Amino acid sequence: MESTAYTKRLLTYRLSLSHLKEVGLTHVFSYLIAGETGFSAALVRKDLSRLKVKGKRRGGYEIDTIMEAINEHFGQQKTNKVVLAGMGNIGSAIAQYKDFKKRNIKIVAAFDLDPAKQRKGYDIPVYPLNKCRDITMEHTIDAAILAVPAFSAQAVCDQLIQCGIRGIMNFAPVNLKVPENVYVSNVRLSDELQQVIYHATKES
Amino acid sequence: MESTAYTKRLLTYRLSLSHLKEVGLTHVFSYLIAGETGFSAALVRKDLSRLKVKGKRRGGYEIDTIMEAINEHFGQQKTNKVVLAGMGNIGSAIAQYKDFKKRNIKIVAAFDLDPAKQRKGYDIPVYPLNKCRDITMEHTIDAAILAVPAFSAQAVCDQLIQCGIRGIMNFAPVNLKVPENVYVSNVRLSDELQQVIYHATKES
DNA sequence: ATATTATTGTGACAATTTTCACAATTTAAA
DNA sequence: TTTAAATTGTGAAAATTGTCACAATAATAT
């Protein structure tokens, strides 16, 4: 089992590095990444060492080298294909979200039970859910985004898994039950916001 | 400093408990919560003990008692008011998101620079950003949701902080720089999805 | 050329978090 | 009423995670 905290930090590093690169830097010091991301410099060095990226004493790390190593860690040679289940508020926003492209992630199909939502105005085709099997047969789908209402989330989730999907980014406020070999990441907007409120309003 | 993992677990417990309650239960055992949430039973008990919730040996815990304790931990007597900056894809989806109400969270105002988006069709009023000060003077705002494009995120964030906001839920793919007393929670959709893909596609 | 300074890389340490294991206790059964 | 079974509550142990401190070394200044 691999620490997700570590993996998460890598993504944070990459975000900062892409910013620093845009600003014109080619090399960075551990404390620079630390300043950008909020992690300690020692931890940054430990992480880079674990990533097998070498720096030069007194010269720092090369940004491109780090970024390549991170990309490689996430196996980003090819485009990753995902599907989107649910074209309500959140689903539609996700469908229009441009940032995925930068990561080489493509939403190849969306599903919604409502016929009115099928094939409407997005450049992602929208099908009824029973088309899922066909899509997964046709493409190699790496993950699904689940953006359906809470009451149907488990059922839709089960179907996605039946179609061979092993990774789910879940927006429904539900604790999904899935087999061991399926990975679920819960994006709980209310919980997240509640935590922010909690931390912001408690006397420091 | 308090562990956010613990706080996060509490929210997960609450979600499961509300589900179990709907299903008709009034009492639960630690292993039941464990099964629902994926944490270990021992950890659940430790957390409940830390929350000062008492169970009965052989009788389990009362759901309502746990839920009250969790709500109290998050200080949910009154309605929490938040503002929303940015009415693009994600901002609009958030504006229409119904689940916040259940948590006693209310979006009292939204901001967008685009005049076309101001006051359009939502039941949340949309103002230009310079109205922010007025809003924060008028209401006690507990947090802000930042859903503006990456290039303007830091600037908007600075303004929010200037208006006295201490908590930010950030959707922009940017590592915000904020003073120590401001809490930021980053919702990185691309990172999240990338992690899902990573875990789902690596050979287990 | 030499000395000085800055920075990495890492082993040892500290802190935190989780699990383990079992006594205490309650309930149910015999 | 006694025994058996189930479950909490929690110290102690284990595991994990992060920090500290400093030797090694590369770059720069003298």
Side-chain angles (χ1 to χ4, degrees), chain A residues 76-93:
Chain A
Q76 299 214 283
Q77 321 75 359
K78 62 169 172 62
T79 296
N80 289 119
K81 296 183 195 168
V82 304
V83 295
L84 167 59
M87 285 297 276
N89 295 328
I90 297 195
S92 309

Side-chain angles (χ1 to χ4, degrees), chain B residues 3 5 9 40 42-43 45-46 50 56-59:
Chain B
S3 152
R9 282 197 301 274
S40 79
L43 184 53
R45 291 201 298 277
K46 268 266 160 80
R50 190 168 168 187
K56 274 191 183 164
R57 287 169 206 239
R58 187 121 200 227

Side-chain angles (χ1 to χ4, degrees), chain B residues 113-134:
Chain B
L113 292 182
D114 180 358
K117 296 223 175 94
Q118 289 160 21
R119 304 185 168 281
K120 271 274 170 61
Y122 310 105
D123 44 21
I124 298 168
V126 183
Y127 304 108
L129 184 57
N130 58 31
K131 255 284 205 176
C132 181
R133 170 126 269 146
D134 296 347

